[in-house]
Amino acid sequence: MEENYGGDVLAGPGGGGGGLGPVDVPSARLTKYIVLLCFTKFLKAVGLFESYDLLKVVHIVQFIFILKLGTAFFMVLFQKPFSSGKSITKRQWIKIFKHAIAGCIISLLWFFGLTLCGPLRTLLLFEHSDIVVISLLSVLFTSSGGGPAKTRGAAFFIIAVICLLLFDNDDLMAKMAEHPEGHHDSALTHMLYTAIAFLGVADHKGGVLLLVLALCCKVGFHTASRKLSIDVGGAKRLQALSQIVSVLLLCPWVIVLSVTTESKVDSWFSLIMPFTTVIFFVMILDFYVESICSVKMEVYKCARYGSFPIFISALLFGNFWTHPITDQLRAMNKAAHQESTEHVLSGGVVVSAVFFILSANILSSPSKRGQKGTLIGYSPEGTPLYNFMGDAFQHSSQSIPRFIKESLKQILEENDSRQIFYFLCLNLLFTFVELFYGVLTNSLGLISDGFHMLFDCSALVMGLFAALMSRWKATRIFSYGYGRIEILSGFINGLFLVVIAFFVFMESVARLIDPPELDTHMLTPVSVGGLIVNLIGICAFSHAHSHSHGASQGSCHSSDHSHSHHVHGHSDHGHGHSHSHGSAGKGMNANMRGVFLHVLADTLGSIGVIVSTILIEQFGWFIADPLCSLFIAVLIFLSVVPLIKDACQVLLLRLPPEHEKELHVALEKLQKIEGLISYRDPHFWRHSASIVAGTIHIQVTSDVLEQRIVQQVTGILKDAGVNNLTIQVEKEAYFQHMSGLSTGFHDVLTMTKQMESMKYYKDGTYIM
Amino acid sequence: MGTIHLFRKPQRSFFGKLLQEFRLVAADRRSWKILLFGAINLTCTGFLLMWCSSTNSIALTAYTYLTIFDLFSLITCLISYWVMMRKPSPAYSFGFERLEVLAVFASTVLAQLGALFILKESAERFLEQPEIHTGRLLVGTFVALSFNLFTMLSIRNKPFAYVSEAASTSWLQEHVADLSRSLCGIIPGLSSIFLPRMNPFVLIDLAGAFALCITYMLIEINNYFAVDTASAIAIALMTFGTMYPMSVYSGKVLLQTTPPHVIGQLDKLIREAGSVHVRIRRDANEQMVLAHVTNRLYTLVSTLTVQIFKDDWIRPALLSGPVAANVLNFSDHHVIPMPPLKGTDDSNPVTSTPTKPSSPPPEFSFNTPGKNVSPVILLNTQTRPFGLGLNHGHAPYSSVLNQGLGVPGIGATHGFRTGFTNIPSRYGTNNRIGQPRP
């Protein structure tokens, strides 16, 4: 995974952004720091296991108070925050006060999580460095995560958390469940317990969630306190001051606590030793070593070398902590022969530990930014130029409510999309009512029917999108405009229906062979509801169908307006248009046909269900159900074939069948134009519902005005229904120029052949 | 047996014709192999579907759909052979190459629809997880895997090979490429197998088989039946990931969009054209302009049509009334803008058309850049003052072309050197021949 391209390459410290790849500082210099870091992390794991044991007897607030007290004491000794450095203003004191409060809350969450789900899981969840969490969050919540590797790391992290949540059979769960709301030491823990119980998860899972929350808080806290630490004069001084303030903060609470509740501790004296180890290992040593390492090494390396030993040692201790061998290691021998049933190693934990290690490794690796750029051209030297600004420009889009409002407005603007939208809303409403009722009555049939409806709704959504997109303006990529999307969407909808018909067919064949017993009592109301919804849809869409013919002129005309730049020639354009439509005889475009067929298929399904239910209930013919579905499958299929065929023809750029005759006539008429010798490469195709495009090359005699010929040819072909025409007018001179310009031998050959023919024609015309 | 039916049915209406064409294709020796594989595929799929229903595993069903997709790809391959034999007919004036694209599009979309169906089924299964029998699970996996790999590696499927190379990478490929890059850092020899990008079909076959093996293991060990549903979802998502870029690519071809590899070059050309001030006097030689533009775009676009459009022609025509209105519909034409000609004082309706940046030619079928081009119209105005663009001009050349066409600023970009810098000499000789009229 690491990319050490030669450790002996000369480079300065922090030379991560070198030419070929990350370049290391000579590893020998770093080794001692790495070893130190590993050792510290190991000790931290020991300290956390120790503190879990301590927390069994000491109250959590007391524990944190003692921890903070000890840390503050030592840090004041080391740092001397009052005697050295510049004096601290009042405003900074307020900030330090806030810092201390936040620090207390986070450590409270952390240790409470520790009591809930044990040291092993706490270590796995909480001991991630900031850089890991930040890159995780950036992958999850921003689009520019930094390549597939980071995505993988984030996926691993999530899988690991899910493993801890779902596949970890923690034995303590059962134990805790016995006294869920039993004795809780204080109001605070009681509150947290009730919060977790309110969420409806087991305590141990609640702990996992709590720790994830605390982790995010920690990262935010560290990021926020960075500026303050510079103001105050170093992170260490800030830490020392903050610890003192938090001790003062916690002091009254602890006093109240120790007065009101009786302590479970036998002798505080025996706890001095464990507390000292915890204070040293967890708080002081870790803090100092990390601050040294982050200075000496790069941050990502620090994170990587730090995370690995702590997870491994957590796994080891998780297995061996209560083992007799390690009893000597433990500073607190009180529970030496206690049964080790709580928070033991399980398969889920091991798997999630592996995933955590992997994800920490991936996420902490330096991100290679700037890999995505769009090629914008070439520099004069010939090196490619890329544009990296694309992201920044794209992100400056409008707000979500406004976006929704605008797209709604667009949808409601036109008839097709409005109908699809209303019907989609109706369908979704029905689906959710069905799902809700299914969940309420716990009926599987209803829920699965709801899923089926959702599946169908996807076709409607696609139709809606196509209807919307088809009105977009032409861009450089879509140089003819987006009208063709409707045809493609109709084609996909047709394929969708074929797939549905196929599955229904297969299912009914399987049932024909082995007819199952049916439970019919729930079927009728659902299918009647579905039938009503679909009948409404059919009425709406067929209404459009019958009226679209009359309305076609207006609507198509306006749609043409929207994505074309007419300058003049409107009036006649409209005429040509309606003419073509009249001969086409199809009011609906492919998209609407697809949607309509979909609704029709659903209606057929509902009718089939009702009929078969009646047959089964009245006569007990269980064979009726598969027969009905067989019939419906065939019907759906037969109804969809014409749609697919038409869409295929358009997609294959076939000569539009409805214009075929007129075009032949027009081409014949073309040859009678004065001065026109011949034409070649006549291509005509339907581009979208409203556009018939064509290209043609014509050869003319050299004494004809090109533009006049263009005008005449355009006129003739427009009468034949072609409304997007390109004409290349070629004279003899053109072929001569081309033969001069073109380099290939074959090109010249074909050109001269054309010229020959032209000469021949010319001679002929001259003779005539 | 239902598997053929999915594809054959749409063509049943002209069944006799189909049979005839089929005979035509079957005459070719190369297609025998494909037919053989198709037959094996059918039996294989039949067995797999049987095992699917006997194991009740939806993951295996999702994997079986990949085998059915293989069948589609074989059919696509047959179609591409057929297309090679067919000549353009009057109705299909561009020829049948587009059928290949349509077949690729249809098969990728069908695979995605199958994946969608799997997703829906597995959503239902999450509610009530049925029991999975592992008996034939592993056997089915390995039969399907070996058959898929065998088909992929032994048949040279031209359309799919092209699409999988030309389309953008799927997320699956990206992850594998990323992993293998770091792997190749350790073992450099592997780079020949993994590195640029793996074949997406091989990749999804292997990944699906891997998911099924994990399913088998976990069910055998722990009876985690939910793993089956989870891996079905994983396979469906991988199918989506693999097929989506390909269907987008072929769909864009079907939508007659400008192919991305052309657009960069074309931008360069148009920018060039922007600095080439095609200025035509009233008596200028239109044919020469046409020849030049054609020559430039010819390398990019195989079927090219260029319409020349003269400004001063329209103005009288416009005034003359109905004829012009009937003819001139410039709405969908694209105008190569002439940058320095921004004399806004003249409110000519044509030149004040919002100029679209360029008119990239749409792609016709795979590998044949832009048959059927959308119209390129050169606006040439001659009533305007001219001369802004000439300051970086190429004096000798423009003097050669003084007759009607001023082409300054050529050769600044290296892309044109091959095509154009050697022209003036040759063109100069032609010039005299080619232009009889002064």
Side-chain angles (χ1 to χ4, degrees), chain A residues 657-688:
Chain A
E658 62 272 13
H659 295 288
E660 219 166 337
K661 224 177 264 172
E662 297 161 49
L663 279 172
H664 275 299
V665 173
L667 286 179
E668 272 169 25
K669 226 190 274 176
L670 215 62
Q671 292 187 320
K672 290 178 191 134
I673 295 177
E674 191 187 346
L676 193 139
I677 301 167
S678 71
Y679 64 90
R680 65 183 173 104
D681 296 347
H683 296 303
F684 302 100
W685 71 96
R686 175 174 288 284
H687 180 262
S688 63

Side-chain angles (χ1 to χ4, degrees), chain A residues 148-149 152 447 476-477 484 502-503 572 637 651 655 685 687 697 706-707 725-726 728-729 731 734 740, chain B residues 2 9 65 91 93 98 127 175 178-179 254 256 258 267 286-287 290 304-306 308 326 333 375 430:
Chain A
R152 209 168 339 121
I447 295 175
R476 311 173 49 226
I477 307 277
R484 220 173 155 79
F502 170 69
F503 281 126
D572 228 73
F637 186 79
L651 288 176
L655 187 74
W685 71 96
H687 180 262
H697 292 212
E706 284 96 341
Q707 299 296 328
L725 184 66
T726 313
Q728 176 162 338
V729 185
K731 293 183 181 174
Y734 165 74
Chain B
K9 254 188 174 176
Y65 288 168
S93 59
R98 250 178 126 76
L127 300 173
H175 281 271
D178 196 69
L179 275 180
L254 289 179
Q256 292 185 298
T258 315
D267 266 358
E286 220 170 78
Q287 295 299 313
L290 183 65
L304 177 72
T305 308
V306 178
I308 299 259
N326 185 20
H333 293 253
N430 269 328

Side-chain angles (χ1 to χ4, degrees), chain B residues 31-304:
Chain B
S31 54
W32 290 2
K33 193 167 147 195
I34 295 170
L35 289 176
L36 178 71
F37 268 98
I40 298 173
N41 192 317
L42 281 181
T43 49
C44 198
T45 312
F47 273 110
L48 278 173
L49 284 176
M50 253 161 56
W51 289 337
C52 284
S53 62
S54 76
T55 56
N56 203 13
S57 153
I58 194 167
L60 189 62
T61 316
Y63 200 60
T64 309
Y65 288 168
L66 286 179
T67 319
I68 297 178
F69 171 75
D70 259 5
L71 185 69
F72 292 148
S73 76
L74 288 177
I75 292 171
T76 308
C77 204
L78 270 188
I79 286 176
S80 80
Y81 282 136
W82 178 74
V83 160
M84 274 193 284
M85 284 180 237
R86 282 297 292 257
K87 294 276 177 295
S89 71
Y92 294 88
S93 59
F94 287 108
F96 287 88
E97 276 113 325
R98 250 178 126 76
L99 193 59
E100 225 175 52
V101 189
L102 194 67
V104 168
F105 181 75
S107 38
T108 49
V109 165
L110 281 176
Q112 287 178 67
L113 288 175
L116 192 67
F117 189 77
I118 292 287
L119 283 184
K120 176 208 139 201
E121 284 281 294
S122 26
E124 282 172 22
R125 283 204 178 199
F126 260 124
L127 300 173
E128 189 185 33
Q129 180 61 45
E131 202 170 306
I132 312 294
H133 311 285
T134 51
R136 298 278 176 180
L137 193 62
L138 217 54
V139 183
T141 307
F142 280 106
V143 167
L145 174 69
S146 53
F147 176 72
N148 279 349
L149 287 183
F150 193 49
T151 315
M152 282 298 155
L153 298 177
S154 62
I155 284 189
R156 208 182 138 271
N157 198 337
K158 189 174 62 99
F160 270 100
Y162 179 76
V163 178
S164 63
E165 272 169 28
S168 58
T169 47
S170 63
W171 59 265
L172 196 64
Q173 275 178 302
E174 264 178 36
H175 281 271
V176 170
D178 196 69
L179 275 180
S180 54
R181 206 173 295 138
S182 46
L183 186 70
C184 293
I186 304 166
I187 314 164
L190 289 176
S191 61
S192 60
I193 309 170
F194 291 123
L195 249 192
R197 50 156 71 166
M198 265 184 90
N199 184 343
F201 305 111
V202 171
L203 200 62
I204 193 179
D205 286 340
L206 289 177
F210 179 67
L212 274 170
C213 287
I214 288 179
T215 309
Y216 177 78
M217 242 166 55
L218 285 178
I219 290 177
E220 280 288 290
I221 295 169
N222 264 358
N223 275 356
Y224 276 142
F225 291 127
V227 176
D228 181 64
T229 315
S231 75
I233 289 177
I235 292 175
L237 287 182
M238 285 190 291
T239 312
F240 264 118
T242 309
M243 300 303 166
Y244 180 71
M246 281 187 262
S247 58
V248 163
Y249 182 81
S250 50
K252 272 191 178 165
V253 175
L254 289 179
L255 284 178
Q256 292 185 298
T257 58
T258 315
H261 59 273
V262 174
I263 204 165
Q265 284 169 293
L266 205 73
D267 266 358
K268 213 164 60 186
L269 286 186
I270 297 299
R271 204 168 300 139
E272 192 76 357
S275 68
V276 177
H277 305 130
V278 189
R279 181 172 63 135
I280 302 191
R281 286 195 291 272
R282 207 174 291 262
D283 56 343
N285 193 342
E286 220 170 78
Q287 295 299 313
M288 186 150 53
V289 180
L290 183 65
H292 271 275
V293 174
T294 313
N295 185 53
R296 289 187 162 198
L297 296 175
Y298 200 63
T299 48
L300 289 178
V301 183
S302 55
T303 306
L304 177 72

Side-chain angles (χ1 to χ4, degrees), chain A residues 293-569:
Chain A
C293 286
S294 62
V295 171
K296 296 290 178 188
M297 293 193 286
E298 289 132 51
V299 184
Y300 66 89
K301 209 170 276 180
C302 203
R304 181 181 294 178
Y305 291 127
S307 63
F308 190 67
I310 200 164
F311 292 148
I312 293 291
S313 48
L315 275 181
L316 286 177
F317 284 129
N319 203 16
F320 294 116
W321 188 250
T322 47
H323 199 269
I325 300 168
T326 49
D327 276 349
Q328 285 90 25
L329 271 175
R330 301 167 66 183
M332 210 179 88
N333 285 320
K334 192 180 139 253
H337 47 272
Q338 190 188 346
E339 284 298 309
S340 61
T341 51
E342 45 181 12
H343 303 311
V344 287
L345 222 56
S346 75
V349 173
V350 176
V351 170
S352 81
V354 170
F355 275 114
F356 270 127
I357 290 171
L358 280 176
S359 77
N361 206 345
I362 293 169
L363 286 175
S364 64
S365 66
S367 66
K368 287 164 251 159
R369 286 208 175 267
Q371 286 186 326
K372 271 193 180 169
T374 48
L375 181 74
I376 51 170
Y378 294 91
S379 70
E381 291 81 36
T383 51
L385 299 173
Y386 291 96
N387 179 20
F388 297 106
M389 297 294 289
D391 273 4
F393 284 124
Q394 277 166 11
H395 280 296
S396 61
S397 56
Q398 70 267 50
S399 60
I400 292 172
R402 200 176 150 198
F403 173 73
I404 291 173
K405 202 177 146 196
E406 293 216 334
S407 45
L408 263 183
K409 196 180 148 207
Q410 270 190 343
I411 287 169
L412 296 182
E413 230 165 39
E414 210 190 321
N415 204 16
D416 287 359
S417 53
R418 193 172 54 223
Q419 269 170 354
I420 299 178
F421 179 69
Y422 285 148
F423 185 64
L424 182 68
C425 286
L426 190 69
N427 228 335
L428 281 179
L429 192 75
F430 184 70
T431 308
F432 281 113
V433 166
E434 204 175 48
L435 277 178
F436 183 72
Y437 195 68
V439 170
L440 213 66
T441 57
N442 212 2
S443 140
L444 271 179
L446 269 183
I447 295 175
S448 76
D449 195 65
F451 277 119
H452 184 80
M453 293 281 277
L454 274 185
F455 183 62
D456 281 346
C457 280
S458 59
L460 283 180
V461 170
M462 194 181 62
L464 184 64
F465 267 108
L468 260 189
M469 280 176 80
S470 65
R471 278 181 279 141
W472 288 0
K473 283 183 180 144
T475 60
R476 311 173 49 226
I477 307 277
F478 289 78
S479 51
Y480 280 103
Y482 285 81
R484 220 173 155 79
I485 279 190
E486 286 195 331
I487 290 156
L488 203 66
S489 144
F491 183 68
I492 295 173
N493 250 332
L495 288 183
F496 202 136
L497 282 172
V498 169
V499 168
I500 287 177
F502 170 69
F503 281 126
V504 170
F505 187 83
M506 291 300 283
E507 184 81 355
S508 58
V509 166
R511 285 197 181 179
L512 214 62
I513 297 165
D514 177 27
E517 290 289 313
L518 287 178
D519 178 28
T520 52
H521 77 277
M522 211 41 214
L523 281 173
T524 322
V526 175
S527 51
V528 166
L531 180 67
I532 291 169
V533 167
N534 283 318
L535 276 180
I536 293 172
I538 282 192
C539 282
F541 286 118
S542 63
H543 188 70
H545 187 60
S546 59
H547 272 254
S548 63
H549 197 77
S552 72
Q553 196 168 338
S555 69
C556 287
H557 194 76
S558 66
S559 81
D560 220 12
H561 252 303
S562 62
H563 61 83
S564 61
H565 304 281
H566 280 278
V567 183
H568 48 256

